[in-house]
Amino acid sequence: MQNKYISLLILLFILNVNNLFSQYDNLYQEANTAFLSNNFEKAENLFSEIIKSKPDFKDVFIKRGMCYLLTNQLELAENDFTQALNYNPKNVDAYNGRGLAYENMGNSKKAWEDFSEAIKFNSKFTEAYINRGHIYNKNSEYEKSIYDFGTAMQLDPKNPAAYFGRAKVYYNMKFFDKSINDFNTAIGKGLNNPEVYYEKGNCYFRKKDLKNAIKDYTEALKINPKYIDALNNRAISYDKSGNTKRAEEDRMRISDITGLKFVPKNQLKYKTYNTKNGEMSITLPDNWYAFEESTKDEIKLSISMKNEKLLNPGVPNVIMSMSRGMKKKYNVYTDNEILGFWKGSMSKNAEDYERYDILTQKSYRHNNKLAQSQETILQFNKSAINLYSYEIGIADTDKFFYAYLQCPDIQIEYMKDIFEKASKSIYIKF
């Protein structure tokens, strides 16, 4: 009799467990459907509901981690993939997902480590090779990058992402014909996004084949009519091919999309922007907007192409500042020490950037004052746009003048003459 009672309890337990898993299976399927329909918020909530009661249920942390990753909640994504690895230290999908989170957070080293771990546990994991290939490319380790993309091609010959990745490596190596071939292969294997045509257009542009460059930028714009980079580069291509009318039409489209007023360069009118006390001034187009701030030790003049007081990296800006009391604040006593301190500060800041490429540097005298300038291409993090920045530092005893003229690097063709005129017009009353 006792054995029958125990058997009955076991039977009831099994029935309850089956019902429990059936309940979570249904919830999991609903969440998965939402995920596949790109309804990431709903999927995230449903996966969270499962986690509350059944945190080790299937690959629920990986699924929710992907929701977080695709909605740019990177730290939450990292936490979920780490939790998945706590349950299974050999879960290659968790390593790959966390690697993507790290990469988008700007931590290439940790991303590389996770992609490598995924490959260690599964040497046929195509996506991990592709993702690690991008890391190698970004770090200019081109041969290793080509090897990883080549391995991905062998594992999955139909995968267009491997060809797209290798094409970008060849572009960086200036092997433009090889790059174009790989882009075309990626397109032939089904890749049909604006980036592939935009990147291929850049290859033709570098080859000075403006006709084909314009053709590919146009293809990119058919898919995404608001693709600013493609519009900008097509405008430059039209300019260089002598079709200024079409170039201005593209810039007007950029104006409509961004709210920025790209007046044709031959129609620009200029004016001088001054601080209220007349201590600083600069000449810029008359349709820009100026904002002044001052404290006891500093006065700053910000001038933007858009009527926004806060700095917007996507908008051309000029910022000038005059700092007083350099000896007391920073323990620098000579003009050389002041400029050395400024240069050191820039180098330290550069360590935190995803990219900081110095194009030119020079020392000179500005109205008989010791000065330095440099041109850079910088990127704050992986998801940020590339910026062109022209920086100027001028020292005088206990004062330091600093200016930077900045714009998205895709706009430099339009902004170059404006910035050159502006930098020559700078006036400082020390």
Side-chain angles (χ1 to χ4, degrees), residues 248 251 260-271 273 282-289 303-305 315-318 375 388 390 392 404-407 411-426:
E248 293 305 334
R251 291 198 176 98
L260 303 178
K261 297 178 181 177
F262 287 94
V263 178
K265 286 192 281 187
N266 61 353
Q267 297 177 24
L268 282 172
K269 295 179 181 179
Y270 288 82
K271 78 173 187 181
Y273 296 83
I282 190 170
T283 299
L284 285 162
D286 67 353
N287 62 333
W288 288 35
Y289 303 87
I303 310 164
S304 173
M305 197 173 179
V315 176
N317 290 277
V318 173
E375 290 178 279
Y388 166 86
Y390 181 68
I392 302 168
Y404 73 75
L405 303 87
Q406 192 174 82
C407 69
Q411 294 172 2
I412 190 56
E413 207 55 43
Y414 177 85
M415 297 303 305
K416 191 174 181 181
D417 293 340
I418 295 171
F419 281 172
E420 186 174 336
K421 183 181 181 74
S423 61
K424 289 178 180 178
S425 74
I426 291 173

Side-chain angles (χ1 to χ4, degrees), residues 171-172 198 206 229 232-233 236 313 346-347 349-361 373-381 384-391 404-413 415-416 419:
Y171 178 85
N172 288 338
Y198 169 74
R206 295 291 295 273
D229 289 4
N232 184 81
N233 287 12
I236 295 169
M346 288 194 296
S347 298
N349 290 337
E351 294 174 4
D352 297 326
Y353 294 156
E354 177 72 19
R355 177 184 179 188
Y356 193 85
D357 299 339
I358 298 174
L359 306 178
T360 64
Q361 277 185 327
S373 69
Q374 71 175 29
E375 290 178 279
T376 58
I377 298 292
L378 59 92
Q379 185 183 29
F380 293 116
N381 54 58
I385 59 174
N386 287 323
L387 298 173
Y388 166 86
S389 185
Y390 181 68
E391 299 162 284
Y404 73 75
L405 303 87
Q406 192 174 82
C407 69
D409 70 336
I410 62 167
Q411 294 172 2
I412 190 56
E413 207 55 43
M415 297 303 305
K416 191 174 181 181
F419 281 172

